[in-house]
Amino acid sequence: MIKLYNTLTRKKEIFRPIKLKQVGLYSCGPTVYNYAHIGNLRAYIFADILKKTLEYNDYKIKHVINITDVGHLTSDQDEGEDKIITAIKREGKKLDINSMKQISNFYTNAFKSDITKLNISHPSKWAKATEHVEDMISDIKKIEKNGYCYETADGIYFDTAKLKNYGKIAKIDIENLLHGARVCVNPTKKTPTDFALWLKSTPKNKNHIMQWDSPWGKGWPGWHIECSTMSVKYLKQPFDIHTGGIDHIPVHHTNEIAQAQAINHKPLANYWVHNEFLILDKAKMSKSKETFITLSTLIAKNFNPIAYRYLCLSAKYRSPLSFSWQNLKSSQNALNNLYNTISSYNRPSKIIKLYQKKFQTAINNDLDTPAAIAIMWDIIKSNHKQADKLATILDFDKVLCLGLDKIKKQAKIPAKIKKMAIQRQVMRDNQEWEESDKLRKQINKLGFDIEDKPNGPSIKKRTIN
Ligand code: AMP
Ligand code: ZN
């Protein structure tokens, strides 16, 4: 039984999937106008732990992450310019489609490389906004047909007053909003919470180089329609779980829900699970303000990216996490300590059921990773056989993904084996193939594999299958 905190109900609920042992999971992806900062990466470490916890409980996951390469304006409230255009200007590139593609491809690849370094598994589907504009237009037409939007000189706006329950997830009270809680900058909106589904090309926004034909003239989609269209396209409506950072609750997710409701009169997702922020110097770490730390910053300071994963797991995903170099150093020390301990253990044997049960209970309890990590250290301190401790910890690492299997593979190679490998290399250099092959077989019998690489042989212990 897995329990998750559902922002829709503000309660920890038992997770019940729509289809037996299957989960449709959607995570709001990065806006690819800059490197992801480590705060953004916390959101994907959290989604990864959620996914691995579900897998640990034998669910099959279909996971979709979008890539926002159009439509996200510098203000979440339909104001400012497209963030990709800001990036083109920042990098002094020519304002054309080519530069736009260069920017978004470059930062998409940087993002994928970051998450790989953090042992975050890639989704079943990366959904790129610019490749789904036709689908978005088709959804906006449905919203129009059902009477939930209106046209102004600069766009098509969702009419939030028409939707009973608008803002339920964010507990937004529309009546109060009219008295100024969310400032309305665009005077053509009927209600401050109304938002753009489609923005028209006008002389005022002539810099916007990404434009598509639509029934409302040339223009481009709003940011929120991307996620509701792409999630439903790949996961159907409703799907099981939608994730994102808490900043998305009041605007982006509220609006995704409204759009999906206006199209199909059904909820978009059954569980909305949000991670709290990573805080730097008590302030929100902001990608647009350029005051952010990237994974490359950590690597340049000789930190293992997995130490950052460890740091994130040492806090509950629903608690704010203060970042400091000292915290990261402590996580790096704990991780090194873990790696050293694991490398001294022998071949894994039996999983210790009692600890496995405790671990599963912890992660199934709304992903309590600090408790799960504490259980791992309890095992290390216990009097169980090393081989059983190892088997149990490697089992936990299916969820924690601290790279312990790799550490075991790189475990110490005895001097005798190293010597035999050198002898074999000499034989190979002298083209004594039969002899060198015999020696390789002897090495294998002693429990090691040898692989010939361009820069010399690599030896691995056969502890993990
Ligand atoms: P963005 O690329 O700005 O659309 O954000 C990508 C993801 O990072 C979203 O799920 C955000 O909610 C999340 N996010 C942004 N800033 C932080 C932060 N400081 N800590 C944790 N998550 C964040
Ligand atoms: Zn989204």
Side-chain angles (χ1 to χ4, degrees):
M1 183 178 75
I2 300 177
K3 280 187 175 175
L4 294 173
Y5 183 85
N6 191 350
T7 309
L8 274 181
T9 56
R10 302 292 198 276
K11 277 191 194 117
K12 235 196 253 182
E13 293 176 12
I14 296 174
F15 173 66
R16 297 186 205 284
I18 295 165
K19 280 196 189 153
L20 194 70
K21 286 291 166 195
Q22 288 183 35
V23 179
L25 172 67
Y26 185 88
S27 304
C28 281
T31 307
V32 283
Y33 69 109
N34 209 334
Y35 293 104
H37 58 59
I38 55 172
N40 298 129
L41 294 172
R42 183 183 189 199
Y44 302 101
I45 291 174
F46 142 69
D48 191 57
I49 288 288
L50 170 60
K51 183 168 153 184
K52 306 253 162 85
T53 299
L54 290 161
E55 282 169 349
Y56 194 76
N57 286 272
D58 300 323
Y59 286 96
K60 282 224 162 335
I61 322 295
K62 184 166 182 192
H63 188 200
V64 180
I65 303 185
N66 67 295
I67 297 287
T68 299
D69 53 354
V70 66
H72 196 171
L73 305 188
T74 41
S75 145
D76 285 359
Q77 324 234 323
D78 308 324
E79 289 301 319
E81 67 182 357
D82 193 290
K83 292 189 177 191
I84 305 283
I85 292 170
T86 309
I88 295 177
K89 291 183 185 167
R90 184 189 66 224
E91 300 194 4
K93 291 192 189 311
K94 215 168 131 199
L95 208 57
D96 61 15
I97 287 285
N98 216 13
S99 306
M100 173 250 136
K101 285 191 180 148
Q102 268 177 22
I103 296 270
S104 57
N105 285 343
F106 179 83
Y107 290 114
T108 301
N109 289 338
F111 177 73
K112 290 182 180 173
S113 151
D114 279 355
I115 65 165
T116 305
K117 288 180 187 138
L118 288 164
N119 285 350
I120 294 171
S121 55
H122 287 223
S124 340
K125 173 79 195 164
W126 289 107
K128 211 169 165 182
T130 49
E131 289 171 1
H132 294 81
V133 176
E134 285 307 315
D135 298 309
M136 295 176 213
I137 292 175
S138 147
D139 272 359
I140 301 169
K141 281 204 248 168
K142 287 181 200 157
I143 296 174
E144 190 176 43
K145 188 167 158 257
N146 292 347
Y148 288 95
C149 60
Y150 55 91
E151 187 163 358
T152 70
D154 69 350
I156 303 293
Y157 285 86
F158 192 99
D159 195 346
T160 53
K162 288 254 171 84
L163 198 70
K164 214 174 114 228
N165 278 343
Y166 172 80
K168 193 175 156 223
I169 188 174
K171 295 193 180 288
I172 295 173
D173 176 348
I174 299 205
E175 288 305 311
N176 280 337
L177 260 174
L178 293 173
H179 301 291
R182 240 204 235 166
V183 182
C184 176
V185 200
N186 183 337
T188 63
K189 285 185 188 178
K190 289 195 205 164
T191 313
T193 44
D194 293 353
F195 57 91
L197 295 167
W198 187 260
L199 286 155
K200 293 180 187 171
S201 172
T202 64
K204 205 178 124 203
N205 55 35
K206 59 182 183 313
N207 269 347
H208 203 289
I209 43 181
M210 292 171 276
Q211 300 197 7
W212 288 261
D213 286 324
S214 82
W216 317 283
K218 273 198 180 304
W220 58 92
W223 172 40
H224 317 298
I225 195 75
E226 295 180 5
C227 284
S228 57
T229 296
M230 295 192 285
S231 57
V232 170
K233 175 166 178 148
Y234 295 107
L235 301 173
K236 307 271 179 299
Q237 184 180 346
F239 56 92
D240 294 293
I241 311 176
H242 194 310
T243 74
I246 47 149
D247 56 326
H248 284 342
I249 301 170
V251 182
H252 185 49
H253 289 172
T254 292
N255 295 347
E256 276 189 51
I257 291 171
Q259 292 163 158
Q261 195 77 41
I263 295 171
N264 284 325
H265 309 292
K266 281 189 218 162
L268 179 58
N270 289 345
Y271 299 82
W272 289 78
V273 191
H274 293 100
N275 64 279
E276 253 290 355
F277 261 53
L278 178 82
I279 321 247
L280 184 72
D281 292 337
K282 296 197 170 60
K284 180 183 147 182
M285 190 177 288
S286 162
K287 196 148 78 172
S288 49
K289 292 195 184 105
E290 312 246 345
T291 53
F292 61 89
I293 301 173
T294 65
L295 197 65
S296 308
T297 323
L298 308 191
I299 296 168
K301 288 181 183 274
N302 287 326
F303 284 102
N304 179 343
I306 302 301
Y308 179 61
R309 185 177 174 104
Y310 189 101
L311 175 64
C312 289
L313 302 191
S314 63
K316 289 189 184 169
Y317 77 91
R318 283 202 292 124
S319 307
L321 172 61
S322 279
F323 177 82
S324 72
W325 293 105
Q326 192 46 48
N327 285 350
L328 187 62
K329 184 90 191 74
S330 308
S331 296
Q332 177 77 71
N333 289 344
L335 190 66
N336 289 346
N337 196 353
L338 182 64
Y339 285 169
N340 286 335
T341 311
I342 292 287
S343 346
S344 69
Y345 289 171
N346 280 322
R347 194 183 284 267
S349 182
K350 279 195 244 98
I351 292 177
I352 311 163
K353 294 285 175 209
L354 177 73
Y355 280 107
Q356 189 183 43
K357 186 93 212 104
K358 280 188 182 178
F359 175 82
Q360 192 169 19
T361 306
I363 48 156
N364 285 5
N365 178 17
D366 199 26
L367 318 177
D368 190 347
T369 49
I373 287 185
I375 294 162
M376 183 176 70
W377 286 109
D378 284 349
I379 298 182
I380 290 174
K381 283 182 230 136
S382 75
N383 293 326
H384 287 273
K385 281 193 220 146
Q386 285 194 350
D388 294 350
K389 290 184 187 184
L390 180 60
T392 316
I393 292 172
L394 288 176
D395 177 65
F396 295 179
D397 210 43
K398 288 181 194 155
V399 178
L400 304 176
C401 290
L402 299 170
L404 302 183
D405 53 344
K406 281 196 208 121
I407 292 299
K408 267 321 284 177
K409 281 183 190 150
Q410 290 161 9
K412 277 186 202 144
I413 311 294
K416 178 182 165 187
I417 304 290
K418 282 188 196 159
K419 211 168 151 191
M420 287 168 84
I422 294 168
Q423 273 173 5
R424 178 179 165 273
Q425 191 55 38
V426 174
M427 288 168 180
R428 282 172 59 85
D429 292 343
N430 295 335
Q431 306 201 342
E432 297 163 357
W433 304 117
E434 249 184 55
E435 292 303 306
S436 79
D437 209 34
K438 257 193 206 161
L439 199 53
R440 184 178 55 77
K441 283 181 185 149
Q442 279 180 32
I443 294 173
N444 290 159
K445 267 194 188 153
L446 292 168
F448 294 85
D449 280 325
I450 192 153
E451 210 185 315
D452 296 303
K453 297 204 166 156
N455 53 352
S458 138
I459 320 165
K460 282 190 185 130
K461 200 172 176 196
R462 285 182 163 175
T463 46
I464 311 289
N465 294 315

